Amino acid sequence: MRNTYLVLAVILTVLYACTTDRDFEIESITAPEDPTFELVHYWNFNDTAALITPTQSIGGAGISYAGDRFDDVDDSTVLNVRGTDEAGDALRLRNPSGDFIVDLPTTGYQDAIVTYATKRSGSGAQQQTFSYTTDGTNYTQAGLDNTSYGITETYVLRQFDFSAIADADNNPNFKIKIEFNISADGTSGNSRFDNFTLDAIPAGGGSVETSELFHYWNFNDDTDLITLITPNVGDGSLSYFGATYDDVDGSDINARNMAGAGKGLRLRNPSGDLIMNIPTTGRKNIELKFAVTRSGSGSQDFTISYTTDGTTYIDTGISPSTFTIIESYELREFDFTGIAGVDNNPNFKVKLSFDNTSSTATSGNSRFDNLSVEGEVDNSTPQASNSRFELFQYWNFNDDTDLVTLITPNVGSGTLEYSGASFDDVGGSDINARNMDADGRALRLRNPSGDFIMNLPSTGYENLSLKFAVTRSGSGSQTFQIAYTVDGTNYIDTGISPTTYTVIEDYELREFDFSAITAVNNNANFKVKITFDATSAAATSGNSRFDNLTLEGDTL
């Protein structure tokens, strides 16, 4: 903890002796000299390669700007610098302006004080208006004075004291918003910020638990369907069992890391379940948020459930569990704090099921944007217990020197067999790629199709999880069935539900949790068989494609 306020008081004294901004000047700032204050969040904007990444933070802090664009500017100040920092660069928000929102969670802290230096260029917005939210959505100025102030072409320090606003204490949803007026809509000009801080006192005097963003999708990269559902933060994955999905206009609700209102995820009818694979390993007190809307014919409601074993879905602890969807983006939040089994769980998934009407409709869609998962670091369970889960069979199919190297595993001693016409390589995917592997090549199984057998000895492992990316050509097999054997000969599907899966014309992740099937544990004869639809078995063209095939499990 640092007492920075003796320095700050001196700065303020000098500042208010020389400012000419009298109409909006904040006359009564009292800089606390209480040594119990700590620096909770801080941006000095000097690292231009990571401009909006906090210089110091307890976690969960973020910046978003809904205006034209932002960048750095070599025009800084020493007002409110901390530690040994020097004047370097500042954040430049370019016109036409939009809302400037700063996520400042106060989890574990109280009596917050927000401070920053700000100025404008000659054509920049001449007035700023300050507000805050305690629920993450609705902004207010209640309890604050001097929330609108003029901006000059010289840096001026602004400070807002939340010590009398109880709802700002210990609040993971606390944010501030700055709106711009007077010359804010020009095609030139900009507003500038430097040395942005939140200081506060630890609540209760105990250790502070910090909530951090560890899974996040903004859906703005619509290069293809794969990049659209590739997470921006974390290693989670999404699966949709409806007709198809693509991109649509998005929202800035719940946007993080300066993401704009770019694209959203559109799930087309006939609808099916949306599964969010969001492992919480090393995290606790989990909170899920997303923006959601629908088209006029889209699903009018959804039901939420979750699984802690990777297979069985329940809604225990969620009330209500069914939510309406309106025709404009709206924030939905789900707090899993205190729900048994959710914390520190590599098998945690959330399922959204849409209304029955949409499951048969031929038009309409549901839309999602800015899907985030946050949680505190969980130090209560020794992390060594999680290290038992290992990757022990893996093919990335990137070595296409010949057909032998193509199906040689990158990890493990498994083998692959295909009884169809032939196999070769094709362009791959980065879905489920491991060890920093690129989206190089993939395995192409050509029609007429036959069984695809994965020989996956699990000797020394239990609680198995099989994953792979799969797609097809236009004439490729539209479905596959999965079965397994524990004796090396007789195939069954006991414990797998469903057993038949659709295959679309874009790579999609498929996951199969064998953790409840004890016969596959520590088994040298374990194999998995994929059988394709009858039409492809006779077709003379078309193919199925697989990439990044993995088998993981706990060591015995």
Side-chain angles (χ1 to χ4, degrees), residues 74-93:
D74 184 14
D75 174 24
S76 189
T77 178
V78 295
L79 291 175
N80 201 36
V81 296
R82 301 303 175 88
T84 59
D85 291 349
E86 299 178 354
D89 285 83
L91 178 66
R92 175 167 54 188
L93 308 181

Side-chain angles (χ1 to χ4, degrees), residues 432-509:
N432 201 40
R434 306 301 174 86
N435 304 327
M436 299 293 289
D437 292 340
D439 52 346
R441 310 303 291 172
L443 178 67
R444 175 167 51 188
L445 307 181
R446 293 185 177 273
N447 288 342
S449 71
D451 292 338
F452 177 37
I453 295 180
M454 311 168 194
N455 179 21
L456 302 167
S458 62
T459 308
Y461 292 89
E462 63 181 354
N463 299 327
L464 307 185
S465 174
L466 171 69
K467 301 179 185 179
F468 50 77
V470 62
T471 184
R472 64 177 174 89
S473 67
S475 302
S477 179
Q478 296 184 33
T479 63
F480 71 80
Q481 290 182 306
I482 187 169
Y484 64 94
T485 177
V486 295
D487 62 11
T489 304
N490 300 295
Y491 285 88
I492 58 176
D493 59 15
T494 305
I496 300 177
S497 180
T499 58
T500 300
Y501 296 83
T502 58
V503 184
I504 64 173
E505 292 183 56
D506 284 287
Y507 280 105
E508 187 176 34
L509 184 68

Side-chain angles (χ1 to χ4, degrees), residues 326-404:
I326 62 174
E327 291 183 57
S328 59
Y329 278 107
E330 185 177 36
L331 184 68
R332 290 296 182 188
E333 304 179 64
F334 303 92
D335 188 351
F336 291 89
T337 302
I339 298 180
V342 171
D343 295 343
N344 198 18
N345 189 334
N347 298 312
F348 181 61
K349 302 177 186 179
V350 170
K351 178 171 70 175
L352 301 186
S353 301
F354 302 95
D355 63 41
N356 291 331
T357 302
S358 67
S359 64
T360 58
T362 56
S363 65
N365 56 80
S366 303
R367 307 174 182 188
F368 292 81
D369 205 1
N370 300 316
L371 195 162
S372 67
V373 185
E374 297 165 285
E376 300 169 5
V377 174
D378 185 1
N379 295 317
S380 62
T381 302
Q383 292 302 299
S385 66
N386 296 326
S387 66
R388 294 173 56 238
F389 196 70
E390 295 180 5
L391 176 71
F392 67 96
Q393 304 283 0
Y394 173 45
W395 288 260
N396 66 23
F397 304 111
N398 287 350
D399 187 350
D400 60 346
T401 305
D402 53 45
L403 295 184
V404 175

Side-chain angles (χ1 to χ4, degrees), residues 279-290:
T280 62
T281 308
R283 302 284 174 171
K284 65 180 180 178
N285 298 334
I286 307 304
E287 186 172 22
L288 168 68
K289 300 179 185 179
F290 50 78

Side-chain angles (χ1 to χ4, degrees), residues 238-242 265 267 271-276 288-292 299 301-306 313 318 321-323 325 332 334 336 349-355 366-368 371:
L238 304 177
S239 300
Y240 179 55
F241 294 89
L265 177 67
L267 307 181
S271 70
D273 293 338
L274 172 64
I275 306 264
M276 309 171 193
L288 168 68
K289 300 179 185 179
F290 50 78
V292 60
S299 179
D301 62 60
F302 69 84
T303 300
I304 186 169
S305 58
Y306 64 93
Y313 286 87
I318 301 177
S321 59
T322 299
F323 297 84
I325 306 176
R332 290 296 182 188
F334 303 92
F336 291 89
K349 302 177 186 179
V350 170
K351 178 171 70 175
L352 301 186
S353 301
F354 302 95
D355 63 41
S366 303
R367 307 174 182 188
F368 292 81
L371 195 162

